[in-house]
Amino acid sequence: MSSPLHDHGVISRYRQYLPVSEATPVISLNEGSTPLIHSPRLSERAGAEVFIKYEGLNPTASFKDRGMTVAVSKAVEEGSRTVICASTGNTSAAAAAYAARAGIQCAVLLPAGKIAQGKLVQAYLYGAKVIAIRGNFDQALQLVRELGGMPGFAVVNSINPHRIEGQKTAAFEIIEELGEAPDMHILPVGNAGNITAYWKGYREFHHLGRAKILPRMMGFQAAGSAPIFHQRVIEQPNTIATAIRIGNPASWQAANAALSGSTGAIDIVTDEEILAAQSWLASNEGIFVEPASAASVAGLFKLGRVQARRIVLTVTGHGLKDPDAAMMTGDYRPFDADAEVSAVRRILEEK
Ligand SMILES: *Cc1c(COP(=O)(O)O)cnc(C)c1O
């Protein structure tokens, strides 16, 4: 049983703006309410007040939890006993955690041979059934779609519209905290669900009079994986930022609407820029994010000085999601020292 006293997730906070009713069981891990951190050093570089929405502090360490609490709650309401997805990353982690919380099954379908153990560590621990399909990713996704049409199954991939509904709550939180929408919002773009969700959230609160302005939505894709920027499907998307390695985004049209409706723009950043931004953010602001998230910061660096009063950057996932990529941002090795105070001090005094 859930206790109202301990239920502080996005459904309990924003129930009247979400597709839930009294009949919806709330499956929550107290996601959302993530910190909006003022960044003095980024503010100086941009010539604007810059805030970082740190979504890596959600229960499974990415913003996917906001959408998954709604998607899994609706799945349970509709009588599903199994949620399914085709994902090696943050979607499978969130689906598995919320399914565990709901006491239902989670199935993760993936192409055999392409399954990197490390990426699925959360899914395994949360108790998901990881199924290796003898076929490619498209075939796995096709199976997910077919199973989703059968009784008892719910698809929780990006095509599930409830995910966008849950994710829009991040924009609500930002408006509540700043007392107004920012002039500009920067975020990484993969399947483009999140840029769609933020734009929906900003417009809904604007419509309700909770914000007077709407931000320009600025999306950044990885250079090797930029279908929206190039306006064509990328057959072999490639980037270190695995969470945005998407060649044919599920919410492509909605993203275009967000970009044109907000007089925003989509641009690209290289893997080198992403890794540099990742280590910059960690060592200058104490915020450790995964490579995809660092695309926001790399994007702001690329924009340079910006005509805006306030800018919000979403950093989408925690740096500990992908320690191997993080270790590629530098030549990290300990300094050797004799077991003497003077030896340690000598190292500390070096430039
Ligand atoms: C899913 C994800 C993205 C991309 O979001 P889309 O909604 O697919 O555009 C970016 N960063 C992280 C960490 C993610 O998990």
Side-chain angles (χ1 to χ4, degrees), residues 62-64 90-91 158 163 167 188-195 243-244 246 290 292-293 316-317:
S62 88
F63 73 84
K64 298 293 195 296
N90 295 336
T91 293
S158 300
R163 291 209 11 219
Q167 286 168 212
V189 174
N191 263 310
N194 216 26
I195 192 169
I244 52 171
I246 305 285
E290 70 171 285
S293 314
T316 43

PDB file of all heavy atoms in Angstrom, residues 62-64 90-91 158 163 167 188-195 243-244 246 290 292-293 316-317, ligand 1:
ATOM      1  N   SER A  62      18.241   8.591 -14.455  1.00  0.00           N
ATOM      2  CA  SER A  62      17.983   9.378 -15.671  1.00  0.00           C
ATOM      3  C   SER A  62      16.546   9.898 -15.632  1.00  0.00           C
ATOM      4  O   SER A  62      15.719   9.439 -14.838  1.00  0.00           O
ATOM      5  CB  SER A  62      18.193   8.547 -16.944  1.00  0.00           C
ATOM      6  OG  SER A  62      17.006   7.859 -17.314  1.00  0.00           O
ATOM      7  N   PHE A  63      16.253  10.855 -16.539  1.00  0.00           N
ATOM      8  CA  PHE A  63      14.898  11.436 -16.595  1.00  0.00           C
ATOM      9  C   PHE A  63      13.841  10.423 -17.016  1.00  0.00           C
ATOM     10  O   PHE A  63      12.644  10.691 -16.901  1.00  0.00           O
ATOM     11  CB  PHE A  63      14.873  12.623 -17.567  1.00  0.00           C
ATOM     12  CG  PHE A  63      14.938  12.227 -19.018  1.00  0.00           C
ATOM     13  CD1 PHE A  63      13.788  11.858 -19.707  1.00  0.00           C
ATOM     14  CD2 PHE A  63      16.151  12.205 -19.697  1.00  0.00           C
ATOM     15  CE1 PHE A  63      13.843  11.469 -21.047  1.00  0.00           C
ATOM     16  CE2 PHE A  63      16.225  11.826 -21.027  1.00  0.00           C
ATOM     17  CZ  PHE A  63      15.064  11.457 -21.700  1.00  0.00           C
ATOM     18  N   LYS A  64      14.250   9.257 -17.542  1.00  0.00           N
ATOM     19  CA  LYS A  64      13.288   8.263 -18.011  1.00  0.00           C
ATOM     20  C   LYS A  64      12.288   7.879 -16.916  1.00  0.00           C
ATOM     21  O   LYS A  64      11.166   7.469 -17.214  1.00  0.00           O
ATOM     22  CB  LYS A  64      14.006   7.009 -18.506  1.00  0.00           C
ATOM     23  CG  LYS A  64      14.935   7.204 -19.699  1.00  0.00           C
ATOM     24  CD  LYS A  64      14.191   7.554 -20.970  1.00  0.00           C
ATOM     25  CE  LYS A  64      15.022   7.396 -22.232  1.00  0.00           C
ATOM     26  NZ  LYS A  64      16.184   8.279 -22.348  1.00  0.00           N
ATOM     27  N   ASN A  90      18.828   3.448 -20.693  1.00  0.00           N
ATOM     28  CA  ASN A  90      18.095   4.022 -19.579  1.00  0.00           C
ATOM     29  C   ASN A  90      16.615   3.667 -19.588  1.00  0.00           C
ATOM     30  O   ASN A  90      15.992   3.617 -18.532  1.00  0.00           O
ATOM     31  CB  ASN A  90      18.306   5.535 -19.567  1.00  0.00           C
ATOM     32  CG  ASN A  90      19.766   5.874 -19.298  1.00  0.00           C
ATOM     33  OD1 ASN A  90      20.487   5.072 -18.710  1.00  0.00           O
ATOM     34  ND2 ASN A  90      20.198   7.040 -19.735  1.00  0.00           N
ATOM     35  N   THR A  91      16.050   3.408 -20.763  1.00  0.00           N
ATOM     36  CA  THR A  91      14.643   2.978 -20.808  1.00  0.00           C
ATOM     37  C   THR A  91      14.480   1.620 -20.141  1.00  0.00           C
ATOM     38  O   THR A  91      13.557   1.416 -19.342  1.00  0.00           O
ATOM     39  CB  THR A  91      14.137   2.921 -22.265  1.00  0.00           C
ATOM     40  OG1 THR A  91      14.103   4.260 -22.773  1.00  0.00           O
ATOM     41  CG2 THR A  91      12.749   2.318 -22.359  1.00  0.00           C
ATOM     42  N   SER A 158       9.688   4.452 -26.501  1.00  0.00           N
ATOM     43  CA  SER A 158       9.351   5.868 -26.742  1.00  0.00           C
ATOM     44  C   SER A 158       8.005   6.078 -27.423  1.00  0.00           C
ATOM     45  O   SER A 158       7.446   7.169 -27.360  1.00  0.00           O
ATOM     46  CB  SER A 158      10.415   6.521 -27.619  1.00  0.00           C
ATOM     47  OG  SER A 158      11.652   6.455 -26.982  1.00  0.00           O
ATOM     48  N   ARG A 163       4.687   8.323 -21.628  1.00  0.00           N
ATOM     49  CA  ARG A 163       6.034   8.726 -21.221  1.00  0.00           C
ATOM     50  C   ARG A 163       6.220  10.231 -21.410  1.00  0.00           C
ATOM     51  O   ARG A 163       6.787  10.916 -20.571  1.00  0.00           O
ATOM     52  CB  ARG A 163       7.090   7.932 -22.000  1.00  0.00           C
ATOM     53  CG  ARG A 163       7.067   6.477 -21.573  1.00  0.00           C
ATOM     54  CD  ARG A 163       8.367   5.728 -21.677  1.00  0.00           C
ATOM     55  NE  ARG A 163       9.538   6.510 -21.927  1.00  0.00           N
ATOM     56  CZ  ARG A 163      10.527   6.141 -22.735  1.00  0.00           C
ATOM     57  NH1 ARG A 163      10.455   4.993 -23.386  1.00  0.00           N
ATOM     58  NH2 ARG A 163      11.580   6.889 -22.897  1.00  0.00           N
ATOM     59  N   GLN A 167       7.162  13.048 -18.579  1.00  0.00           N
ATOM     60  CA  GLN A 167       8.394  13.824 -18.738  1.00  0.00           C
ATOM     61  C   GLN A 167       8.149  15.334 -18.776  1.00  0.00           C
ATOM     62  O   GLN A 167       9.035  16.109 -18.419  1.00  0.00           O
ATOM     63  CB  GLN A 167       9.131  13.361 -20.004  1.00  0.00           C
ATOM     64  CG  GLN A 167       9.806  11.996 -19.816  1.00  0.00           C
ATOM     65  CD  GLN A 167      10.307  11.359 -21.092  1.00  0.00           C
ATOM     66  OE1 GLN A 167      10.321  10.148 -21.208  1.00  0.00           O
ATOM     67  NE2 GLN A 167      10.704  12.174 -22.062  1.00  0.00           N
ATOM     68  N   PRO A 188      19.826  17.553 -24.827  1.00  0.00           N
ATOM     69  CA  PRO A 188      20.239  16.602 -25.857  1.00  0.00           C
ATOM     70  C   PRO A 188      19.013  15.970 -26.510  1.00  0.00           C
ATOM     71  O   PRO A 188      17.960  15.856 -25.888  1.00  0.00           O
ATOM     72  CB  PRO A 188      21.025  15.537 -25.075  1.00  0.00           C
ATOM     73  CG  PRO A 188      20.548  15.639 -23.676  1.00  0.00           C
ATOM     74  CD  PRO A 188      20.068  17.041 -23.464  1.00  0.00           C
ATOM     75  N   VAL A 189      19.165  15.544 -27.767  1.00  0.00           N
ATOM     76  CA  VAL A 189      18.040  14.959 -28.502  1.00  0.00           C
ATOM     77  C   VAL A 189      18.439  13.606 -29.089  1.00  0.00           C
ATOM     78  O   VAL A 189      19.435  13.499 -29.816  1.00  0.00           O
ATOM     79  CB  VAL A 189      17.576  15.916 -29.625  1.00  0.00           C
ATOM     80  CG1 VAL A 189      16.510  15.254 -30.488  1.00  0.00           C
ATOM     81  CG2 VAL A 189      17.035  17.220 -29.039  1.00  0.00           C
ATOM     82  N   GLY A 190      17.654  12.586 -28.748  1.00  0.00           N
ATOM     83  CA  GLY A 190      17.847  11.248 -29.312  1.00  0.00           C
ATOM     84  C   GLY A 190      16.595  10.847 -30.063  1.00  0.00           C
ATOM     85  O   GLY A 190      16.410  11.165 -31.234  1.00  0.00           O
ATOM     86  N   ASN A 191      15.671  10.170 -29.363  1.00  0.00           N
ATOM     87  CA  ASN A 191      14.363   9.876 -29.951  1.00  0.00           C
ATOM     88  C   ASN A 191      13.446  11.090 -29.962  1.00  0.00           C
ATOM     89  O   ASN A 191      12.337  11.045 -30.477  1.00  0.00           O
ATOM     90  CB  ASN A 191      13.692   8.718 -29.204  1.00  0.00           C
ATOM     91  CG  ASN A 191      13.916   7.387 -29.911  1.00  0.00           C
ATOM     92  OD1 ASN A 191      13.694   7.274 -31.116  1.00  0.00           O
ATOM     93  ND2 ASN A 191      14.368   6.402 -29.167  1.00  0.00           N
ATOM     94  N   ALA A 192      13.884  12.167 -29.330  1.00  0.00           N
ATOM     95  CA  ALA A 192      13.193  13.462 -29.339  1.00  0.00           C
ATOM     96  C   ALA A 192      11.923  13.488 -28.492  1.00  0.00           C
ATOM     97  O   ALA A 192      11.123  14.412 -28.586  1.00  0.00           O
ATOM     98  CB  ALA A 192      12.896  13.936 -30.767  1.00  0.00           C
ATOM     99  N   GLY A 193      11.766  12.488 -27.628  1.00  0.00           N
ATOM    100  CA  GLY A 193      10.629  12.497 -26.704  1.00  0.00           C
ATOM    101  C   GLY A 193      10.761  13.606 -25.674  1.00  0.00           C
ATOM    102  O   GLY A 193       9.780  14.251 -25.305  1.00  0.00           O
ATOM    103  N   ASN A 194      11.975  13.837 -25.203  1.00  0.00           N
ATOM    104  CA  ASN A 194      12.145  14.793 -24.111  1.00  0.00           C
ATOM    105  C   ASN A 194      11.959  16.231 -24.573  1.00  0.00           C
ATOM    106  O   ASN A 194      11.325  17.025 -23.890  1.00  0.00           O
ATOM    107  CB  ASN A 194      13.527  14.604 -23.465  1.00  0.00           C
ATOM    108  CG  ASN A 194      13.502  14.823 -21.967  1.00  0.00           C
ATOM    109  OD1 ASN A 194      12.448  14.646 -21.320  1.00  0.00           O
ATOM    110  ND2 ASN A 194      14.634  15.209 -21.404  1.00  0.00           N
ATOM    111  N   ILE A 195      12.464  16.566 -25.753  1.00  0.00           N
ATOM    112  CA  ILE A 195      12.262  17.941 -26.242  1.00  0.00           C
ATOM    113  C   ILE A 195      10.759  18.165 -26.490  1.00  0.00           C
ATOM    114  O   ILE A 195      10.219  19.238 -26.190  1.00  0.00           O
ATOM    115  CB  ILE A 195      13.127  18.238 -27.498  1.00  0.00           C
ATOM    116  CG1 ILE A 195      13.117  19.744 -27.798  1.00  0.00           C
ATOM    117  CG2 ILE A 195      12.688  17.449 -28.710  1.00  0.00           C
ATOM    118  CD1 ILE A 195      14.149  20.167 -28.848  1.00  0.00           C
ATOM    119  N   ALA A 243      23.066   7.174 -25.335  1.00  0.00           N
ATOM    120  CA  ALA A 243      21.653   7.478 -25.087  1.00  0.00           C
ATOM    121  C   ALA A 243      21.037   8.339 -26.189  1.00  0.00           C
ATOM    122  O   ALA A 243      19.815   8.449 -26.283  1.00  0.00           O
ATOM    123  CB  ALA A 243      21.476   8.163 -23.728  1.00  0.00           C
ATOM    124  N   ILE A 244      21.875   8.952 -27.023  1.00  0.00           N
ATOM    125  CA  ILE A 244      21.343   9.715 -28.164  1.00  0.00           C
ATOM    126  C   ILE A 244      21.854   9.147 -29.499  1.00  0.00           C
ATOM    127  O   ILE A 244      21.872   9.828 -30.510  1.00  0.00           O
ATOM    128  CB  ILE A 244      21.655  11.234 -28.054  1.00  0.00           C
ATOM    129  CG1 ILE A 244      23.133  11.504 -27.806  1.00  0.00           C
ATOM    130  CG2 ILE A 244      20.801  11.858 -26.951  1.00  0.00           C
ATOM    131  CD1 ILE A 244      23.518  12.997 -27.898  1.00  0.00           C
ATOM    132  N   ILE A 246      20.682   7.544 -32.053  1.00  0.00           N
ATOM    133  CA  ILE A 246      19.378   7.223 -32.640  1.00  0.00           C
ATOM    134  C   ILE A 246      19.369   7.747 -34.076  1.00  0.00           C
ATOM    135  O   ILE A 246      19.605   8.933 -34.300  1.00  0.00           O
ATOM    136  CB  ILE A 246      18.235   7.918 -31.856  1.00  0.00           C
ATOM    137  CG1 ILE A 246      18.278   7.584 -30.360  1.00  0.00           C
ATOM    138  CG2 ILE A 246      16.875   7.591 -32.490  1.00  0.00           C
ATOM    139  CD1 ILE A 246      17.816   6.208 -29.970  1.00  0.00           C
ATOM    140  N   GLU A 290      26.374  11.653 -17.742  1.00  0.00           N
ATOM    141  CA  GLU A 290      26.805  10.737 -18.795  1.00  0.00           C
ATOM    142  C   GLU A 290      27.014  11.522 -20.106  1.00  0.00           C
ATOM    143  O   GLU A 290      26.548  12.658 -20.232  1.00  0.00           O
ATOM    144  CB  GLU A 290      25.821   9.588 -18.958  1.00  0.00           C
ATOM    145  CG  GLU A 290      24.470   9.905 -19.544  1.00  0.00           C
ATOM    146  CD  GLU A 290      23.681   8.623 -19.841  1.00  0.00           C
ATOM    147  OE1 GLU A 290      24.016   7.955 -20.825  1.00  0.00           O
ATOM    148  OE2 GLU A 290      22.745   8.303 -19.083  1.00  0.00           O
ATOM    149  N   ALA A 292      25.757  11.647 -23.130  1.00  0.00           N
ATOM    150  CA  ALA A 292      24.605  12.240 -23.830  1.00  0.00           C
ATOM    151  C   ALA A 292      24.193  13.546 -23.159  1.00  0.00           C
ATOM    152  O   ALA A 292      23.868  14.530 -23.830  1.00  0.00           O
ATOM    153  CB  ALA A 292      23.430  11.263 -23.844  1.00  0.00           C
ATOM    154  N   SER A 293      24.210  13.562 -21.835  1.00  0.00           N
ATOM    155  CA  SER A 293      23.807  14.759 -21.087  1.00  0.00           C
ATOM    156  C   SER A 293      24.751  15.918 -21.334  1.00  0.00           C
ATOM    157  O   SER A 293      24.331  17.084 -21.357  1.00  0.00           O
ATOM    158  CB  SER A 293      23.796  14.457 -19.590  1.00  0.00           C
ATOM    159  OG  SER A 293      23.164  13.239 -19.315  1.00  0.00           O
ATOM    160  N   THR A 316      20.660  14.924 -18.576  1.00  0.00           N
ATOM    161  CA  THR A 316      19.626  13.895 -18.577  1.00  0.00           C
ATOM    162  C   THR A 316      19.922  12.656 -17.742  1.00  0.00           C
ATOM    163  O   THR A 316      18.994  11.977 -17.301  1.00  0.00           O
ATOM    164  CB  THR A 316      19.414  13.457 -20.038  1.00  0.00           C
ATOM    165  OG1 THR A 316      20.717  13.316 -20.649  1.00  0.00           O
ATOM    166  CG2 THR A 316      18.624  14.488 -20.810  1.00  0.00           C
ATOM    167  N   GLY A 317      21.215  12.344 -17.542  1.00  0.00           N
ATOM    168  CA  GLY A 317      21.551  11.098 -16.842  1.00  0.00           C
ATOM    169  C   GLY A 317      22.850  11.217 -16.059  1.00  0.00           C
ATOM    170  O   GLY A 317      23.686  12.077 -16.332  1.00  0.00           O
TER     171      GLY A 317
HETATM  172  C1  LIG B   1      16.808   8.898 -23.387  1.00  0.00           C
HETATM  173  C2  LIG B   1      17.948   9.784 -23.115  1.00  0.00           C
HETATM  174  C3  LIG B   1      18.269  10.890 -23.921  1.00  0.00           C
HETATM  175  C4  LIG B   1      17.515  11.216 -25.172  1.00  0.00           C
HETATM  176  O1  LIG B   1      16.173  11.606 -24.922  1.00  0.00           O
HETATM  177  P1  LIG B   1      15.108  11.513 -26.088  1.00  0.00           P
HETATM  178  O2  LIG B   1      13.807  11.715 -25.420  1.00  0.00           O
HETATM  179  O3  LIG B   1      15.249  10.139 -26.672  1.00  0.00           O
HETATM  180  O4  LIG B   1      15.448  12.573 -27.067  1.00  0.00           O
HETATM  181  C5  LIG B   1      19.320  11.699 -23.565  1.00  0.00           C
HETATM  182  N1  LIG B   1      20.070  11.442 -22.476  1.00  0.00           N
HETATM  183  C6  LIG B   1      19.793  10.393 -21.677  1.00  0.00           C
HETATM  184  C7  LIG B   1      20.654  10.168 -20.489  1.00  0.00           C
HETATM  185  C8  LIG B   1      18.736   9.534 -21.957  1.00  0.00           C
HETATM  186  O5  LIG B   1      18.496   8.498 -21.167  1.00  0.00           O
END
